[in-house]
Amino acid sequence: NAGVTQTPKFRILKIGQSMTLQCTQDMNHNYMYWYRQDPGMGLKLIYYSVGAGITDKGEVPNGYNVSRSTTEDFPLRLELAAPSQTSVYFCASSHLGGGNTEAFFGQGTRLTVV
Amino acid sequence: QKEVEQDPGPLSVPEGAIVSLNCTYSNSAFQYFMWYRQYSRKGPELLMYTYSSGNKEDGRFTAQVDKSSKYISLFIRDSQPSDSATYLCATGAGNQFYFGTGTSLTVIP
């Protein structure tokens, strides 16, 4: 009963370093999403994917990249980490697009850039 | 105008109280509405979802949607300390979901 799994749970990066946040889901969902959550700011959509091989930008894509080579996996890459990317990152998935179904979330990755 | 507006609180109530959490949304095309509960340092957990105007009940929780006024509510009866969390409303259209900023609730024993 795994659902959406994110790794790592915590990470500290130095400015300019790069890393990949991993996300995998076992519900065979077509749609996957990456959000960041900052205190008092709610969830902001970074990127989303409607299926393998298809990705699109959300509200705050700058500084991030994604790929979707399989239905299960949707990694998020930070190429040159900046302090502004300190946040909690959540991956989510849904069977259909927004407005037709509910989304399920992972437990989050807490990232600090110093 | 944001797609979804939610009073951030914080809200503090005594144990056993009835809690009312509210959101408004901007787009009459939104048809599917959700409430998520988020404990500190955890991911949002789906609490309830509904398609239609009216009430949907699940145990101590009732979700209410008024599409004419674009207003959604979550009522918690007999609130418990374990209900202390942040509650996010959400809706969606097309390929995206839209979330409120969350209301922080504390239930005092």
Side-chain angles (χ1 to χ4, degrees):
Chain A
N1 197 20
V4 180
T5 303
Q6 290 182 237
T7 56
K9 287 187 170 53
F10 306 94
R11 184 73 185 267
I12 298 174
L13 275 184
K14 293 185 178 178
I15 294 171
Q17 285 186 322
S18 61
M19 78 164 292
T20 299
L21 282 67
Q22 302 290 347
C23 176
T24 187
Q25 53 93 6
D26 62 0
M27 296 174 281
N28 201 32
H29 284 169
N30 291 319
Y31 291 74
M32 295 187 75
Y33 314 83
W34 274 106
Y35 293 91
R36 59 177 288 171
Q37 187 178 40
D38 300 305
M41 300 298 290
L43 290 159
K44 291 189 182 293
L45 182 65
I46 305 171
Y47 271 95
Y48 68 97
S49 169
V50 302
I54 306 170
T55 63
D56 209 346
K57 296 178 180 179
E59 183 183 357
V60 289
N62 291 343
Y64 307 95
N65 278 300
V66 293
S67 60
R68 184 96 182 270
S69 57
T70 67
T71 299
E72 295 78 19
D73 301 306
F74 190 40
L76 177 72
R77 179 129 181 109
L78 283 71
E79 289 294 349
L80 290 170
S84 60
Q85 294 177 305
T86 294
S87 188
V88 182
Y89 292 84
F90 288 103
C91 179
S93 73
S94 64
H95 178 53
L96 301 171
N100 296 290
T101 188
E102 57 274 21
F104 296 90
F105 284 81
Q107 290 300 297
T109 295
R110 189 170 295 270
L111 176 67
T112 302
V113 181
V114 296
Chain B
Q1 184 183 8
K2 287 185 179 179
E3 288 82 5
V4 181
E5 300 270 7
Q6 183 174 10
D7 184 345
L11 193 58
S12 184
V13 301
E15 183 176 353
I18 297 174
V19 175
S20 172
L21 304 167
N22 307 296
C23 292
T24 58
Y25 62 94
S26 60
N27 191 337
S28 58
F30 293 158
Q31 298 291 323
Y32 198 93
F33 306 95
M34 295 151 280
W35 282 96
Y36 288 84
R37 178 174 60 196
Q38 187 176 20
Y39 291 115
S40 180
R41 295 180 173 263
K42 298 290 186 183
E45 167 196 14
L46 181 67
L47 199 56
M48 295 191 73
Y49 63 91
T50 182
Y51 260 117
S52 54
S53 276
N55 295 348
K56 180 179 180 179
E57 201 170 306
D58 184 1
R60 297 185 295 109
F61 299 90
T62 300
Q64 187 176 81
V65 177
D66 182 346
K67 290 186 178 180
S68 63
S69 57
K70 301 192 190 70
Y71 200 81
I72 54 179
S73 301
L74 179 70
F75 298 96
I76 307 174
R77 290 185 300 279
D78 187 24
S79 56
Q80 302 294 309
S82 59
D83 295 328
S84 298
T86 296
Y87 291 80
L88 296 94
C89 59
T91 183
N95 293 327
Q96 296 194 25
F97 292 89
Y98 302 97
F99 292 86
T101 52
T103 300
S104 175
L105 171 68
T106 300
V107 180
I108 303 167

